[in-house]
Amino acid sequence: KINLKMNRKKSVEFLSKSVRSLWAIPICLFLNDNIGGIAFVDGQSMSPTLNPPGSTWSDIVIVDRFSNKISKSIKVGDVVTFKSPMDPHETCIKRLVSKGNVVLRSKTSRNSIYVPKGYCWVEGDNLRESVDSKDYGP
């Protein structure tokens, strides 16, 4: 009887602590979605800026989602993250090459490209390894 009571007491205590810590999950999700967080960079599309050749680990970046909501401060040349147009479960990291309502010349094909108002053009620093606006458009 003593062992049963001790095990039951420990189980109730564990369950109580688990339930009390559940409040942290929605707070962490809110902070990650609205303020920012950290992200691991996978792949070579931003090399040599991120994940340089010969590196044995993936770079880690701090993602700021808050300041752009206040000031719309993203500028051409900034490194940005966004949901992939090809897979909404994947987050991409690329460099902002152009904001909308601009004609630009592609670095890979030398063709002129019109980026409509409200859209942008992003490219990886390593053009040969990057899937970016040249593949999925503005």
Side-chain angles (χ1 to χ4, degrees):
K1 278 188 165 180
I2 294 173
N3 283 341
L4 182 61
K5 285 184 180 181
M6 289 297 280
N7 288 339
R8 188 172 191 197
K9 182 179 178 183
K10 285 181 181 180
S11 296
V12 169
E13 188 176 301
F14 173 76
L15 186 60
S16 175
K17 285 181 181 179
S18 298
V19 169
R20 280 186 282 170
S21 62
L22 285 177
W23 64 268
I25 293 172
I27 291 173
C28 289
L29 290 173
F30 173 82
L31 292 174
N32 189 56
D33 289 347
N34 295 290
I35 306 299
I38 62 168
F40 293 90
V41 180
D42 187 30
Q44 293 297 309
S45 71
M46 286 301 292
S47 182
T49 306
L50 300 170
N51 291 348
S55 177
T56 57
W57 63 83
S58 293
D59 284 346
I60 300 172
V61 295
I62 297 172
V63 179
D64 173 16
R65 291 183 181 89
F66 184 69
S67 60
N68 189 50
K69 290 180 181 184
I70 293 174
S71 66
K72 305 291 182 205
S73 60
I74 295 177
K75 302 177 297 293
V76 170
D78 286 350
V79 175
V80 296
T81 61
F82 56 94
K83 293 289 180 196
S84 168
M86 298 177 158
D87 180 0
H89 301 293
E90 183 178 324
T91 299
C92 296
I93 184 166
K94 306 290 178 196
R95 190 170 303 280
L96 181 63
V97 173
S98 174
K99 290 185 175 183
N101 206 22
V102 170
V103 176
L104 61 96
R105 184 173 298 276
S106 170
K107 294 176 186 174
T108 54
S109 68
R110 302 290 182 216
N111 294 332
S112 293
I113 301 160
Y114 175 67
V115 181
K117 185 176 182 177
Y119 291 82
C120 63
W121 190 268
V122 294
E123 292 179 352
D125 289 353
N126 184 352
L127 293 175
R128 281 184 253 139
E129 294 290 326
S130 183
V131 175
D132 48 33
S133 290
K134 69 183 179 314
D135 301 294
Y136 43 73

